Amino acid sequence: MMKYVELCVDLRKGRFAKDGLIQYRIVCQQVNVSSLEEVIKHFMQLSNEKAEEARNQAQALEDALDVEDLEADKRPEDLMLSYVSGEKGKDRSDREFVTPWFKFLWETYRTVLEILRNNSKLEALYAMTAHKAFQFCKQYKRSTEFRRLCEIIRNHLANLNKYRDQRDRPDLTAPESCQLYLDTRVEQLKIATELSLWQEAFRSVEDIHGLMSLVKRTPKPSVLVVYYAKLTEIFWISESHLYHAYAWLKLFNLQKSYNKNLTQKDLQLLASSVLLAALSVAPYDHKYGASHLELENEKDRSLRMANLVNFSLDSKRENREMVSRATLLSELAAKGVISCASQEVKDLYNLMEHEFLPLDLASKVQPLLSKISTIGGKLSAASSVPEIRLSQYQSALEKLTALRVLQQASRIFQSMKIDMLSRMIPFFEFNVVEKIAVDAVKHNFVAMKVNHLAGAVHFGNMDIESDVLSSHLSVLADSLNKALSLIHPPVQKPSKPSENLTNLAGVVEKEHRRLLARKSIIEKRKEDHERQILEKEKIEETKRLTIQKKSADEERERLLKEQRLREQQRIRKEIEEKEAREAAKMIEDLTGRGKNKKKIHIEGDMTKQHAMEVVLNQQVKERQEMEKKLAKLAKTMDHLERAKRQEEAPLIEEAFQKRLEEEKILHEQEQLREIELSKQHHAGDLQEKNRLSRLLEHKNAFQERIVQRRESEFSSLRKEREERINQLLSSRKRERETVRKLMYFLNMEEQRIQREREEQEARKREEEERRKKEEAERKLKLDAIAAKQLQRERELEEREKQRREALLRGAEPVRAADAPAAAAVAPPAREPAAAAPAAAAAATGAAPSKYVPKWKREGDSSSQRPTAAAEPDRWVRDDRPRPDARPFRQEAPPAARQEAPPAARQPDGAAPAASTERWRPGSRTSANSSS
């Protein structure tokens, strides 16, 4: 490869060199990357040497490299000049000799960058190549090639983020990779500013910010210093004074925080630059009077600029605040930047921002500007910061002074002469002042009007003539056209025979177009027919090719299977042979590496596993021996280090004492210098005190007058306040009294309602208790009545039982006697039954409060019901088991009782038959009917 690269360089064949390096990269990527690195370095070294030889042979380098683009071919005018001129000059021969070699060198850089892109193992070589290409563009002022080189590197990073699945892709989250890419962009930014390619420099700044946003990591302070230093230059060239000032503020904060070697003079120079940059910003907003589209574009641009200045990794708009001149100055005052600036810059700041001197402002500012323009220089402790020249702000500060004079004059004057205004602003001619005033009026900073006829300037809110006469020219043009048409009316020409010929030609042309359209339709139909035929043939051909392809695929698949089987067998055999060779090699290496070189004998078949065990045992032995040697060596090194430290201890003490003496002398010098500065400040303060002492009497008089006026105002205000307080107290007292009475009335009303509610609830409870008590007494009475009735019915049943037994005993004599005898005997038998109701009535008469059945309360019940006492009541519970008995219901009313019918008599007047059957429903009707 070394020889191949040398041949390519000698023959200037960049394309062949690129192809060869690509093939060699494929070979070496996974095996030996360092070989590829050596070849590429050799290739670039040869190209540089050939270009240097060509440059040394050329007499005039500027003429030899007077080419716009190294990648472009020869220009047509150069070819014409080479063929027209008979003899070639030396300059042209140099151009033809030197330019090709520089073209080849540029092509070499491009080739190497293309080969090394997105390769994690050759990141350092890629960065080195990019740096060399930047130096090439800087050395020979190649602006076109520099732009192209920046675009190439930018595309490489974009592809790196786009294709994330590459095998050897660099990892940007790694600190080393990120630092290499960042250093490349910083070098690109430096070269862009040195070549004055400000557009490319701004894009480089965006590249740095985009890279840091991608990896979410803030760069080192040294990189940030370069970043903000170059950003100040870019913003100043682009006339973005506000962001220029913010960049200076960021640079000042970085230097103050991280640069420990920064002297007081350097800090004062930096603070002066920051303050002057802030004062150089226009004091009005450019958004006034702009269209919506311009405002949107300005907003997007401001967000981009602010993002770059703040170096914020957050892309959300709501998390940012818009910057302005007022916020910048307030931030400078809050952070103490103004106090660090020089005295001249402080005085200028006070005059511009806090003083009101419309007549003397320019005369006081002019000497300060002349002093400030001489201040500047290179910082001693900050090599990355460019040389500071405060004179660059002079034009912007003069413009600011003119604006302040116009603004302050508009507040106290209604009009003034142009000559007087010119004397008030000695920096510019009046035409320049007029341009500044027009810009200020446009952005609503000041309202004024210049009257050149009267030679005066009028201040105040007045309409501008351009607003009133915006359409004056268009109206004038319309009026002139109408007047011209009235003065010189257009002449109408008479018709001629040629017009008829024109009409005839139009008819012929129309017919011709119709025929052409018909012809085109016929041709289109023919083409459609031919296309249909071709489509059919194409479909048939596709079917045939599909069948043919299918058969070919089947054959190919069969051959692939056979080949795969053979390949597997071959690989298996090779693996076995390889393992045997590796085992033999391992044993051979082990015997050859040792010092004694003993031959190891292995019994049986020599397998890889057996060989690895032998090798491991041998390595363990060697490691143990090495550990013993290292322990001995460490002990020797400890003794040596202890002796060395004992020897160097007195030398260190001596050096320390010497440094103490030097620092003591330096401290005394600093104290003397500080005392001298304090004396100077004290003398200046005394002079200032003597100068201001003349105003003391006027100040005291003015103060007394103000104090008296304020005392009178205070007394009147205090009196009014006391009256208001008294009125307020009385009104509040009345309100409290009203509220107190209202609360008392409400409380009393609530108590009355509560008392009535309690009384009503008590009455309800008493009524409920009384009702419950009466219910209980009534229930007890009913229970007693039911118990007595039950007892009485039992007695009646007992008597009825005795009567029936007596009847049964006298039944036999009655059957034997005749009917009259039976009739004579029957009435006495019924007497006890008839006497029972009387006894019951007598019993009930003794207790009138107890319950008496209805049939007993009636007077003729004994005559109507002779057998009622003998029949048991169905409401009385019978202890005897009866199948048709019903349960006794105590709560049923007495009137609901059913009375038993009288016993059925014999048709011949005999006594009733002895029967124990009880009465059932329906039997009463039958008994009555039978009787």
Side-chain angles (χ1 to χ4, degrees), residues 337-462:
V337 179
I338 299 177
S339 60
C340 296
S342 61
Q343 188 63 37
E344 293 83 1
V345 178
K346 291 180 185 177
D347 295 340
L348 181 63
Y349 169 73
N350 292 326
L351 285 173
M352 292 290 188
E353 301 298 326
H354 302 294
E355 298 291 339
F356 186 81
L357 302 169
L359 299 178
D360 301 333
L361 181 62
S363 60
K364 291 187 177 182
V365 167
Q366 194 168 9
L368 292 176
L369 290 178
S370 60
K371 289 181 181 179
I372 289 172
S373 61
T374 60
I375 300 175
K378 184 74 175 175
L379 297 182
S380 60
S383 58
S384 301
V385 180
E387 186 177 1
I388 298 176
R389 292 294 178 189
L390 302 184
S391 58
Q392 64 177 346
Y393 302 109
Q394 185 171 0
S395 59
L397 294 173
E398 289 174 352
K399 182 178 178 181
L400 176 65
T401 305
L403 289 172
R404 290 299 185 195
V405 170
L406 292 174
Q407 184 188 25
Q408 295 177 8
S410 65
R411 295 179 182 176
I412 59 175
F413 293 105
Q414 289 185 351
S415 63
M416 67 167 50
K417 292 292 184 181
I418 293 177
D419 298 337
M420 183 178 178
L421 184 61
S422 300
R423 289 193 300 271
M424 290 170 63
I425 306 175
F427 307 118
F428 306 111
E429 298 292 335
F430 184 72
N431 55 354
V432 180
V433 176
E434 191 173 4
K435 291 180 181 178
I436 296 173
V438 168
D439 196 26
V441 171
K442 176 183 177 183
H443 295 99
N444 199 26
F445 181 69
V446 67
M448 60 179 293
K449 179 181 178 182
V450 181
N451 190 350
H452 288 281
L453 293 177
V457 178
H458 301 280
F459 297 100
N461 294 325
M462 294 173 289

Side-chain angles (χ1 to χ4, degrees), residues 813-873:
V814 172
R815 289 191 187 97
D818 55 352
V825 175
R830 287 193 295 267
E831 286 179 2
T844 56
S849 62
K850 295 185 179 180
Y851 173 74
V852 179
K854 183 178 179 181
W855 60 274
K856 290 183 180 181
R857 290 197 302 268
E858 296 177 357
D860 54 349
S861 58
S862 59
S863 60
Q864 292 178 359
R865 297 185 180 185
T867 61
E871 183 182 50
D873 192 358

Side-chain angles (χ1 to χ4, degrees), residues 83 125 164 170 202 255 356 432 445 508 513 528 555 559 563 649 690 731 776 852 865 889 898 901 919:
Y83 285 111
L125 184 58
R164 296 178 177 272
F202 184 75
Q255 290 291 339
F356 186 81
V432 180
F445 181 69
V508 172
R513 285 197 299 271
D528 291 339
E555 182 65 21
L559 294 175
Q563 184 180 0
N690 294 331
S731 63
V852 179
R865 297 185 180 185
R889 296 181 183 177
Q898 298 292 336
W919 173 82

Side-chain angles (χ1 to χ4, degrees), residues 585-598:
K585 187 177 179 181
M586 290 170 65
I587 299 300
E588 185 179 356
D589 292 342
L590 183 60
T591 55
R593 189 173 62 240
K595 293 183 179 180
N596 49 10
K597 295 185 180 181
K598 293 181 180 180

Side-chain angles (χ1 to χ4, degrees), residues 165-374:
D165 55 349
Q166 294 180 355
R167 182 173 58 183
D168 298 321
R169 174 183 173 274
D171 186 12
L172 291 179
T173 58
E176 296 81 6
S177 301
C178 180
Q179 190 62 36
L180 286 174
Y181 276 87
L182 188 60
D183 292 341
T184 304
R185 267 63 183 181
V186 171
E187 184 68 20
Q188 174 182 335
L189 177 60
K190 290 180 181 178
I191 302 301
T193 54
E194 290 178 5
L195 294 177
S196 299
L197 301 175
W198 302 110
Q199 287 286 347
E200 200 60 44
F202 184 75
R203 295 184 69 185
S204 301
V205 168
E206 287 186 329
D207 290 342
I208 295 174
H209 184 265
L211 183 61
M212 290 300 102
S213 301
L214 183 66
V215 300
K216 303 294 184 185
R217 184 178 298 166
T218 305
K220 296 179 180 178
S222 59
V223 177
L224 284 177
V225 167
V226 178
Y227 176 85
Y228 285 116
K230 300 302 178 184
L231 205 57
T232 56
E233 299 181 25
I234 295 170
F235 285 142
W236 182 256
I237 295 296
S238 63
E239 296 183 356
S240 299
H241 294 168
L242 180 60
Y243 299 105
H244 169 77
Y246 265 100
W248 262 116
L249 178 59
K250 290 287 184 179
L251 186 59
F252 173 81
N253 292 333
L254 279 172
Q255 290 291 339
K256 188 176 179 181
S257 301
Y258 297 102
N259 195 347
K260 304 302 181 183
N261 300 324
L262 197 67
T263 61
Q264 187 67 28
K265 182 179 179 181
D266 295 342
L267 185 64
Q268 186 177 7
L269 193 57
L270 282 171
S272 301
S273 300
V274 175
L275 187 55
L276 290 179
L279 290 175
S280 301
V281 182
Y284 48 79
D285 192 1
H286 291 272
K287 297 178 182 179
Y288 181 81
S291 63
H292 179 70
L293 181 61
E294 292 176 353
L295 289 176
E296 289 296 324
N297 293 334
E298 181 64 23
K299 187 176 181 181
D300 293 340
R301 178 176 176 273
S302 300
L303 286 174
R304 286 179 62 194
M305 298 287 190
N307 198 9
L308 293 177
V309 170
N310 292 332
F311 212 89
S312 173
L313 302 181
D314 189 8
S315 60
K316 296 182 179 179
R317 292 189 174 187
E318 59 270 14
N319 292 338
R320 305 191 189 100
E321 56 180 356
M322 302 303 294
V323 295
S324 62
R325 186 176 187 269
T327 57
L328 176 60
L329 289 175
S330 62
E331 188 175 356
L332 293 182
K335 293 185 176 180
V337 179
I338 299 177
S339 60
C340 296
S342 61
Q343 188 63 37
E344 293 83 1
V345 178
K346 291 180 185 177
D347 295 340
L348 181 63
Y349 169 73
N350 292 326
L351 285 173
M352 292 290 188
E353 301 298 326
H354 302 294
E355 298 291 339
F356 186 81
L357 302 169
L359 299 178
D360 301 333
L361 181 62
S363 60
K364 291 187 177 182
V365 167
Q366 194 168 9
L368 292 176
L369 290 178
S370 60
K371 289 181 181 179
I372 289 172
S373 61
T374 60

Side-chain angles (χ1 to χ4, degrees), residues 536-761:
K536 290 181 180 179
E537 293 178 354
K538 187 176 180 181
I539 291 171
E540 293 177 356
E541 182 67 20
T542 304
K543 290 181 180 178
R544 186 182 62 81
L545 290 175
T546 304
I547 295 171
Q548 185 178 357
K549 184 180 179 181
K550 186 175 181 182
S551 60
D553 290 341
E554 292 176 354
E555 182 65 21
R556 190 183 306 110
E557 194 171 333
R558 185 183 62 82
L559 294 175
L560 284 174
K561 286 182 180 179
E562 294 178 357
Q563 184 180 0
R564 197 178 297 114
L565 183 60
R566 290 194 299 269
E567 186 70 18
Q568 290 177 357
Q569 293 176 357
R570 184 184 62 81
I571 290 172
R572 193 180 300 111
K573 187 176 180 181
E574 288 181 355
I575 290 173
E576 293 175 356
E577 294 176 355
K578 184 179 179 181
E579 288 182 353
R581 288 196 303 269
E582 287 179 355
K585 187 177 179 181
M586 290 170 65
I587 299 300
E588 185 179 356
D589 292 342
L590 183 60
T591 55
R593 189 173 62 240
K595 293 183 179 180
N596 49 10
K597 295 185 180 181
K598 293 181 180 180
K599 187 175 181 180
I600 300 174
H601 178 69
I602 299 176
E603 298 179 356
D605 295 334
M606 185 175 59
T607 61
K608 185 177 180 180
Q609 186 68 24
H610 192 188
M612 287 178 65
E613 292 178 358
V614 174
V615 170
L616 287 174
N617 294 331
Q618 189 66 22
Q619 288 178 354
V620 168
K621 292 180 181 178
E622 293 178 356
R623 192 180 301 112
Q624 292 175 355
E625 293 177 359
M626 182 60 67
E627 288 176 356
K628 293 179 181 179
K629 292 180 181 179
L630 288 175
K632 185 177 180 181
L633 181 61
K635 189 175 181 180
T636 305
M637 292 296 295
D638 288 341
H639 289 292
L640 181 62
E641 184 67 22
R642 189 182 298 110
K644 186 171 65 175
R645 291 190 181 184
Q646 289 176 358
E647 291 294 329
E648 69 182 5
L651 298 177
I652 293 174
E653 183 65 24
E654 183 181 354
F656 176 70
Q657 295 298 331
K658 185 177 180 181
R659 185 173 178 180
L660 282 178
E661 294 176 359
E662 293 176 355
E663 289 182 352
K664 184 177 180 180
I665 295 171
L666 182 62
H667 176 67
E668 293 175 356
Q669 292 176 358
E670 290 291 336
Q671 280 188 340
L672 292 176
R673 189 182 299 108
E674 187 66 27
I675 291 169
E676 186 66 26
L677 288 175
S678 300
K679 288 180 180 180
Q680 292 177 2
H681 288 309
H682 181 66
D685 293 340
L686 289 177
Q687 292 178 1
E688 187 69 16
K689 180 181 179 182
N690 294 331
R691 188 175 67 84
L692 296 176
S693 61
R694 295 175 298 172
L695 302 175
L696 185 60
E697 296 179 359
H698 302 284
K699 176 253 181 185
N700 293 332
F702 178 74
Q703 182 179 358
E704 184 177 359
R705 188 165 58 254
I706 294 296
V707 168
Q708 291 177 358
R709 179 170 57 82
R710 290 185 179 177
E711 284 180 354
S712 61
E713 292 177 356
F714 175 74
S715 61
S716 61
L717 291 174
R718 184 173 59 184
K719 187 176 181 180
E720 293 176 359
R721 179 175 175 274
E722 291 176 354
E723 291 178 356
R724 285 198 308 272
I725 290 173
N726 293 330
Q727 293 177 1
L728 186 62
L729 289 174
S730 60
S731 63
R732 289 184 180 178
K733 185 176 181 181
R734 287 194 297 272
E735 289 176 0
R736 286 197 301 272
E737 187 68 24
T738 305
V739 171
R740 191 180 301 111
K741 290 181 179 179
L742 181 61
M743 292 299 294
Y744 176 76
F745 174 75
L746 292 175
N747 290 332
M748 295 301 294
E749 187 67 19
E750 288 179 359
Q751 291 177 4
R752 185 183 63 78
I753 293 171
Q754 182 68 20
R755 192 163 52 250
E756 290 179 356
R757 189 183 298 114
E758 290 176 355
E759 292 175 357
Q760 187 176 2
E761 290 178 355

Side-chain angles (χ1 to χ4, degrees), residues 61-95:
L61 182 60
E62 290 79 6
D63 295 337
L65 286 178
D66 190 13
V67 181
E68 289 294 332
D69 190 356
L70 291 177
E71 295 184 11
D73 296 332
K74 290 185 177 181
R75 294 179 296 179
E77 54 269 22
D78 295 338
L79 292 173
M80 292 174 63
L81 184 62
S82 64
Y83 285 111
V84 170
S85 59
E87 55 183 289
K88 299 180 179 179
K90 184 176 182 302
D91 295 340
R92 194 177 304 126
S93 63
D94 290 341
R95 186 182 297 113

